[in-house]
Amino acid sequence: MAADRDLEIEDVTLNLDGDMKGELEEEKEMREDGGGKDPFKNKKVHRVVSKWMLPEKVRRTYLERANCLPPPVFIISISIAELAVFIYYAVWKPQKQWITLDTGILESPFIYSPEKREEAWRFISYMLVHAGVQHILGNLVMQLMLGIPLEMVHKGLRVGLVYLAGVIAGSLASSIFDPLRYLVGASGGVYALMGGYFMNVLVNFREMIPAFGIVRLLIIILIIVSDMGFALYRRFFVPANGSPVSFAAHIAGGFAGMSIGYTVFSCFDKALLKDPRFWIAIAAYSACVLFAVFFNIFLSPAN
């Protein structure tokens, strides 16, 4: 037993030494490529991001071409727009929006309303309106904390595709499974980012989570639980004089992320349009969208 224990300790030590040597060799090669400069000092943020967002086999490729051009414009712009709309309704048009929805906000041209489904932009613009401080803070913290590093790696076009796929999936799912309820918030897009990210983590768990990374996962899970709890409260325990709000967007956005998002985020060093998984995910998503459109036109109780 003692001999076995010594062998285990020796094996672990050798593995650790191998990992450290690998990192030192990689750093040395990058310094040589950079003409004596230390790119890792300049790219420390990119190194951390690569460990969180990419499996080990493609990290070097990312580090070799990593830069902040273009910067994560999509996530930052969406966040600013959502915050601006929230402040507008909470300050310049006071509707008790600091805490929850009230009748005034329900008349917003952005909110998804079952009585105004013919105004197609509402299936997307509902993401700009939020039901109180805790609602918008949860979404902003989540999408900035996860969206910015995702956009640093995958750039705005791919992240925007996943985000908007979650937003549209959320409103269409709500129109089917909760057809008589209003819908607000960017949770569909946020959950799409999380769904795509967590599928990548699940497939590449040993490579994508550095030491003590479980703490960050627990923080994300805590935010998800809090956000879902608030959504369930708004749906089932709203005061008698309030207006229930659907929560189906959370679930639909997550599924959109686990399909389209996973495919997009796992193709860092590949041509996305040449990946058959992407087209399978798009075909399945399009079929669901077409069914939702058909349901809303011919079968919805809101008609």
Side-chain angles (χ1 to χ4, degrees):
M1 291 295 292
D4 291 343
R5 195 175 303 162
D6 290 341
L7 286 172
E8 289 178 4
I9 294 173
E10 184 178 353
D11 183 55
V12 170
T13 304
L14 287 172
N15 287 336
L16 290 174
D17 290 342
D19 292 340
M20 292 177 65
K21 287 178 181 178
E23 288 190 5
L24 289 173
E25 289 175 1
E26 185 182 62
E27 183 174 347
K28 182 179 179 181
E29 290 175 6
M30 292 292 287
R31 284 179 180 174
E32 291 174 355
D33 294 340
K37 297 179 181 178
D38 187 353
F40 281 100
K41 286 184 179 179
N42 299 327
K43 295 187 177 182
K44 185 176 181 180
V45 173
H46 291 293
R47 285 191 71 188
V48 174
V49 167
S50 69
K51 286 185 177 181
W52 280 105
M53 299 296 153
L54 293 169
E56 186 175 0
K57 57 187 177 182
V58 295
R59 287 177 194 161
R60 181 175 176 82
T61 303
Y62 168 73
L63 290 172
E64 287 175 348
R65 63 192 192 193
N67 59 68
C68 290
L69 296 174
V73 174
F74 175 79
I75 286 296
I76 293 175
S77 299
I78 286 291
S79 300
I80 291 174
E82 291 165 1
L83 183 61
V85 170
F86 176 79
I87 293 174
Y88 172 75
Y89 282 105
V91 178
W92 281 277
K93 292 179 72 68
Q95 305 292 348
K96 300 181 181 178
Q97 180 69 357
W98 288 111
I99 301 174
T100 184
L101 290 177
D102 201 1
T103 54
I105 194 68
L106 296 177
E107 297 173 359
S108 168
F110 300 121
I111 193 173
Y112 170 78
S113 171
E115 294 88 6
K116 299 180 179 180
R117 288 174 296 119
E118 68 278 3
E119 298 175 355
W121 71 81
R122 292 176 181 265
F123 284 88
I124 297 178
S125 64
Y126 78 93
M127 69 179 181
L128 299 173
V129 184
H130 287 79
V133 174
Q134 60 270 59
H135 190 200
I136 191 169
L137 283 182
N139 280 342
L140 289 181
V141 169
M142 203 62 243
Q143 71 187 27
L144 290 172
M145 184 170 65
L146 186 59
I148 287 179
L150 279 173
E151 193 168 347
M152 288 175 65
V153 172
H154 300 285
K155 302 306 178 184
L157 185 61
R158 292 190 176 192
V159 172
L161 171 65
V162 175
Y163 190 90
L164 292 177
V167 169
I168 295 172
S171 57
L172 291 176
S174 179
S175 70
I176 294 174
F177 297 107
D178 216 357
L180 302 179
R181 302 302 179 191
Y182 294 93
L183 181 64
V184 295
S187 296
V190 174
Y191 276 67
L193 296 181
M194 290 192 291
Y197 174 71
F198 278 115
M199 280 297 293
N200 269 314
V201 169
L202 188 64
V203 174
N204 305 287
F205 185 81
R206 292 180 179 272
E207 300 179 9
M208 289 181 65
I209 302 299
F212 305 109
I214 195 68
V215 174
R216 182 174 176 180
L217 290 180
L218 289 175
I219 293 173
I220 294 174
I221 291 172
L222 178 63
I223 294 174
I224 293 174
V225 171
S226 301
D227 187 59
M228 280 297 296
F230 180 71
L232 291 171
Y233 168 78
R234 285 294 311 151
R235 176 61 181 85
F236 295 108
F237 301 101
V238 66
N241 60 345
S243 300
V245 178
S246 175
F247 67 96
H250 299 71
I251 299 172
F255 278 114
M258 287 187 286
S259 55
I260 294 178
Y262 167 67
T263 305
V264 170
F265 295 153
S266 63
C267 288
F268 166 73
D269 59 342
K270 301 176 184 177
L272 184 62
L273 298 181
K274 294 182 179 180
D275 191 329
R277 299 175 304 165
F278 174 72
W279 293 111
I280 292 172
I282 289 294
Y285 183 86
S286 299
C288 293
V289 169
L290 289 175
F291 172 77
V293 171
F294 178 85
F295 179 90
N296 275 277
I297 295 174
F298 299 106
L299 304 175
S300 176
N303 290 335

